[in-house]
Amino acid sequence: HQTNAYVFLFNNVRGDPMSKEKMVNYNDLKTIIILNCLKDSMLEKLSSITNVEEYRSGYYIFNEGEEAKNLYALIEGKVRLEIDAEYSRRIFINDITPSMIFGFSALVETENHNYTTYAKATTDVKLYKWAAIDLETLFNQDFEMGFLFMKVIAKIIKTRPQIRNIEFLNI
């Protein structure tokens, strides 16, 4: 379903996803790099809480400072992560390409549990979406899965400051 409702926040185009689907085959999840550490039985559990959404180019999937409720993985397209800088400028942090995951703030306790970047669809995108509350419930039921998942997220987050430092040096 498509909506004509748009919300404008700080010059960001924001809208509901173009379409939603429920129920993903666990084999489809194997295309996401971070999920390679999980067993098929774990992927099957994860598939039961996985949604697929599509956004048009220019949409902000989430905004810096917004409450972090969802974790995402890109299936198709490209998403740009940005942060606010001085003088109403945005600084490019990283491009998310297919098979990458973003929106870690939904699972990692950050100040006020908010997203720390903007996530902008720079092309039409298709992505997997997981509600943080559903992931936490799943990880409480399967500690091994939660440990493996969070171990990989920790490795990815560890590189984030290095990426930011490189971008600040390029200013």
Side-chain angles (χ1 to χ4, degrees):
H1 110 265
Q2 188 172 346
T3 181
N4 292 324
Y6 297 95
V7 177
F8 293 91
L9 301 169
F10 308 105
N11 296 321
N12 295 340
V13 178
R14 184 72 190 260
D16 290 333
M18 296 186 313
S19 67
K20 286 185 177 184
E21 301 170 22
K22 185 69 176 166
M23 293 304 293
V24 172
N25 182 308
Y26 76 92
N27 283 312
D28 296 336
L29 295 177
K30 291 179 181 181
T31 63
I32 305 304
I33 295 168
I34 188 176
L35 303 179
N36 290 332
C37 67
L38 302 180
K39 300 173 188 171
D40 284 356
S41 61
M42 295 172 179
L43 290 171
E44 194 166 353
K45 292 176 194 175
L46 185 62
S47 71
S48 71
I49 62 165
T50 303
N51 290 297
V52 176
E53 292 188 349
E54 295 180 351
Y55 291 85
R56 292 193 189 280
S57 179
Y59 279 15
Y60 278 79
I61 298 159
F62 57 78
N63 292 300
E64 182 178 357
E66 213 173 69
E67 184 179 359
K69 294 182 179 180
N70 300 297
L71 180 70
Y72 301 90
L74 192 59
I75 303 168
E76 297 172 5
K78 191 161 121 183
V79 172
R80 174 163 285 192
L81 299 182
E82 306 169 335
I83 60 171
D84 276 333
E86 292 182 4
Y87 311 111
S88 302
R89 240 175 38 153
R90 293 258 167 84
I91 297 174
F92 163 81
I93 296 298
N94 196 19
D95 277 329
I96 304 297
T97 55
S99 81
M100 294 174 70
I101 203 155
F102 62 102
F104 305 118
S105 299
L107 290 182
V108 179
E109 287 298 322
T110 59
E111 188 174 328
N112 300 323
H113 215 253
N114 297 334
Y115 291 114
T116 59
T117 63
Y118 294 88
K120 180 181 182 180
T122 55
T123 65
D124 288 353
V125 299
K126 185 175 185 179
L127 49 82
Y128 293 126
K129 174 182 160 185
W130 298 279
I133 189 123
D134 293 340
L135 285 170
E136 289 174 15
T137 299
L138 188 58
F139 296 162
N140 282 327
Q141 293 168 355
D142 186 336
F143 294 130
E144 181 184 12
M145 179 181 183
F147 172 77
L148 294 171
F149 197 94
M150 294 307 291
K151 184 177 174 183
V152 175
I153 285 185
K155 286 180 184 178
I156 295 169
I157 290 173
K158 183 179 176 184
T159 64
R160 189 179 281 176
Q162 294 164 341
I163 293 168
R164 281 191 183 167
N165 290 342
I166 291 167
E167 289 305 317
F168 284 126
L169 290 173
N170 290 330
I171 295 174

